[in-house]
Amino acid sequence: MTDWDQTDDVGLMLKKVRGIASDRQLMFFACGCCRLVESKLPAVRYLADRFEKDAERPMSRDEKWSILSAIGSALLGDIHPILRQFLMGQDNDSWTMAAQVASIGRMFEFNGAPESLEAAGPSIPRNSASQAQVLREVVRNPDRNIEFDPRWRTDAVRGIAAAIVESRAWDRLPILADALQDAGCEDDELLQHCRLADHLHRPGCWALEYVRETPERSSPNPGDPV
Ligand SMILES: [Zn+2]
């Protein structure tokens, strides 16, 4: 076990994957954070639905950015013009935007809407077990290195992965683990992830993304740490 597996400090986790997590992964994380509060802010459900559906076709960086901005706007727009101004007024990269969506999500998860931006900063909870779980689901443990052998991507493995994504059939991930093992995969982290309880998986599951060869690394943003 590492800190990554155990911590609920979402800010710390995000710092750890800055420059590692792709725009796509950050989008899935932001969507997951929206899902956690959608009962309180129903508008975010539509936006998360739209992104998760659109994620299955190639999108330009501008398209991704506009969707993430819209999610941020919806999270804030219903209730907090001051916070919307704060979020939308900055020319942020997708890491920063995802971190802000997560911060705002934690406010709604625990505290409800703050009185003002000044009041919001110190009161944003650092920890959220549910957001930490979402981040662990879409970004693999950065402390461990998986060398994915392309020979593991057999027709059977690819077919099962595609069917799981198509049907959102997370309960079939253990079958994917079996197929990976049949293909010679001995990577415990990958196999164990596939065998987690199905309620822990969601769109953007890193194991499925690995198998399906979706783009993982972002192109560097200006100002990103090198
Ligand atoms: Zn998963």
Side-chain angles (χ1 to χ4, degrees):
M1 298 290 273
T2 66
D3 288 349
W4 181 263
D5 297 311
Q6 293 177 317
T7 186
D8 292 338
D9 187 333
V10 179
L12 205 65
M13 293 173 78
L14 280 169
K15 276 189 190 142
K16 201 158 185 159
V17 299
R18 184 163 198 170
I20 294 174
S22 66
D23 289 346
R24 179 180 167 89
Q25 287 173 313
L26 293 165
M27 299 287 274
F28 276 124
F29 171 66
C31 286
C33 291
C34 291
R35 297 272 184 215
L36 295 174
V37 296
E38 69 182 11
S39 60
K40 295 178 184 174
L41 284 168
V44 301
R45 180 178 304 144
Y46 159 74
L47 291 159
D49 283 349
R50 192 176 116 187
F51 172 68
E52 288 169 1
K53 198 193 266 178
D54 284 357
E56 295 313 317
R57 65 167 177 78
M59 277 197 290
S60 70
R61 187 180 173 83
D62 284 351
E63 278 180 289
K64 291 177 192 170
W65 175 247
S66 75
I67 294 174
L68 190 52
S69 298
I71 291 172
S73 177
L75 265 173
L76 302 172
D78 292 351
I79 301 170
H80 273 283
I82 297 172
L83 285 175
R84 180 177 54 206
Q85 191 180 359
F86 168 69
L87 181 63
M88 304 310 291
Q90 296 185 17
D91 183 20
N92 290 328
D93 58 80
S94 46
W95 183 90
T96 305
M97 182 66 88
Q100 287 177 336
V101 169
S103 294
I104 294 151
R106 290 198 299 283
M107 289 195 305
F108 280 98
E109 187 179 352
F110 295 114
N111 296 344
E115 293 295 320
S116 67
L117 181 58
E118 290 71 27
S123 69
I124 297 175
R126 291 176 58 91
N127 291 2
S128 163
S130 46
Q131 284 191 355
Q133 197 280 318
V134 173
L135 192 52
R136 278 189 284 268
E137 165 65 0
V138 300
V139 182
R140 75 183 194 280
N141 186 335
D143 295 328
R144 298 191 192 129
N145 203 11
I146 291 183
E147 292 294 331
F148 199 101
D149 186 333
R151 287 174 296 185
W152 300 343
R153 292 192 183 98
T154 58
D155 289 347
V157 164
R158 286 173 182 276
I160 294 165
I164 291 171
V165 172
E166 169 90 23
S167 318
R168 291 180 167 236
W170 316 122
D171 59 329
R172 287 188 226 157
L173 269 154
I175 302 171
L176 180 67
D178 293 344
L180 280 164
Q181 278 189 306
D182 288 346
C185 173
E186 293 179 348
D187 190 293
D188 285 343
E189 175 135 21
L190 180 58
L191 297 173
Q192 280 172 19
H193 186 90
C194 292
R195 288 174 173 140
L196 289 174
D198 57 359
H199 72 275
L200 296 175
H201 299 284
R202 61 175 59 242
C205 168
W206 70 257
L208 286 167
E209 297 273 300
Y210 248 67
V211 168
R212 298 170 62 231
E213 286 187 282
T214 54
E216 189 183 356
R217 282 185 178 269
S218 54
S219 50
N221 294 318
D224 268 1
V226 179

